[in-house]
Amino acid sequence: MTPQIAVAISLLTVKETAEILRKSEAQLRWMIHTGTAPKSALIGGRRMFRQSDVEAYIEEAFND
């Protein structure tokens, strides 16, 4: 049996992600609805974002 390595994944809420993107929560929810927000998932009934996905979303915006 191989040992499992625990990887800490930093998850952000809608509120935290909106603050990082300098958007209101309503604006971020609209972005989710229209498919223009960073990748997210429902975890335990809550919309969550991986910090790495939010950072990649911001980086991609500067590469255009």
Side-chain angles (χ1 to χ4, degrees):
M1 176 185 275
T2 60
Q4 301 239 347
I5 299 173
V7 177
I9 298 174
S10 185
L11 296 176
L12 303 169
T13 64
V14 169
K15 181 178 181 178
E16 293 167 334
T17 303
E19 289 173 359
I20 291 168
L21 297 176
R22 297 197 172 134
K23 301 279 186 189
S24 70
E25 289 182 53
Q27 288 173 311
L28 180 55
R29 290 187 189 283
W30 181 254
M31 290 170 66
I32 294 166
H33 175 75
T34 59
T36 59
K39 186 176 177 181
S40 65
L42 284 175
I43 300 175
R46 294 179 67 191
R47 178 71 50 189
M48 303 297 286
F49 298 81
R50 286 187 291 205
Q51 186 171 350
S52 60
D53 289 335
V54 175
E55 290 168 355
Y57 176 86
I58 294 168
E59 187 64 33
E60 184 178 318
F62 282 96
N63 289 332
D64 288 342

